[in-house]
Amino acid sequence: MQYSAQYFIDKLNLVEHPEGGYYISSFRSAEEMAVRDVTRPIYTSIYFLLRSQDISHLHRLKSDELWYYHAGSPLTVHMVYPDGTYEAKKLGLNMEAGEVPQVAVPKNTIFGSSVEDANTFSLVGCMVAPGFDFTDFELFTQDELLADYPQHEAVIRKMAYKTIK
């Protein structure tokens, strides 16, 4: 059976995410831990869907995030590490083409994602540990990122908001 993006949006009750794409919280640890002078769940997990016409805009978390491929086309995760280096990893199942079924994004890394194939989507899972909280979520504008990482102008112009909505 061929599934569409709308099928997963409807069946999983996905809603729009501020960074772009669609999501829903799927798991949240009942146990909590103290981290950065606050309490967070040990982990949280979401379903995240990105269509080819969408961008998961560049943002940063204060926790590590693991991405898991589920369905659709490959997803490219764009990362600017704290030392300023850039790396793109393809999340998917075609390992001969350099894809991997899971990608780790270390805390404090600026990152976003895109679907390179036209007229399609990617459904992934994202687990954050310590658990996600929107107070630990930081979106960036192109100007903010270009001031610190001018060497990555092309990816910043593609992946960052011109202005925060």
Side-chain angles (χ1 to χ4, degrees):
M1 177 181 238
Q2 186 72 5
Y3 297 106
S4 68
Q6 196 60 52
Y7 172 85
F8 288 111
I9 291 168
D10 293 342
K11 293 296 183 185
L12 296 172
N13 298 311
L14 304 179
V15 296
E16 289 187 39
H17 197 292
E19 79 194 43
Y22 298 84
Y23 82 108
I24 192 165
S25 177
S26 54
F27 295 100
R28 183 177 195 86
S29 172
E31 294 183 56
E32 295 186 332
M33 62 187 293
V35 59
R36 298 182 303 272
D37 299 322
V38 295
T39 301
R40 295 281 182 263
I42 293 174
Y43 71 89
T44 56
S45 188
I46 65 169
Y47 286 116
F48 182 70
L49 184 139
L50 197 65
R51 301 171 303 173
S52 53
Q53 66 264 37
D54 301 324
I55 294 288
S56 165
H57 292 85
L58 293 172
H59 60 286
R60 178 170 51 203
L61 300 180
K62 294 180 180 178
S63 297
D64 295 336
E65 184 168 31
L66 293 171
W67 290 57
Y68 302 94
Y69 175 82
H70 291 310
S73 293
L75 181 83
T76 302
V77 180
H78 304 267
M79 296 178 278
V80 179
Y81 295 101
D83 69 0
T85 59
Y86 168 80
E87 182 177 25
K89 290 189 177 180
K90 281 246 187 194
L91 194 60
L93 298 178
N94 187 349
M95 287 169 252
E96 287 76 25
E99 298 170 10
V100 293
Q102 61 186 15
V103 169
V105 178
K107 67 181 179 181
N108 299 318
T109 297
I110 296 167
F111 68 104
S113 60
S114 61
V115 177
E116 308 300 325
D117 296 345
N119 302 314
T120 188
F121 69 94
S122 184
L123 176 66
V124 300
C126 302
M127 186 188 77
V128 177
F132 177 83
D133 188 285
F134 269 105
T135 60
D136 299 336
F137 175 82
E138 185 179 9
L139 271 173
F140 295 96
T141 65
Q142 291 176 3
D143 288 344
E144 289 171 323
L145 293 173
L146 288 170
D148 292 333
Y149 308 104
Q151 70 274 30
H152 304 306
E153 182 176 2
V155 74
I156 288 169
R157 294 220 182 269
K158 175 184 175 185
M159 301 296 302
Y161 282 117
K162 288 183 182 180
T163 60
I164 301 295
K165 295 181 176 183

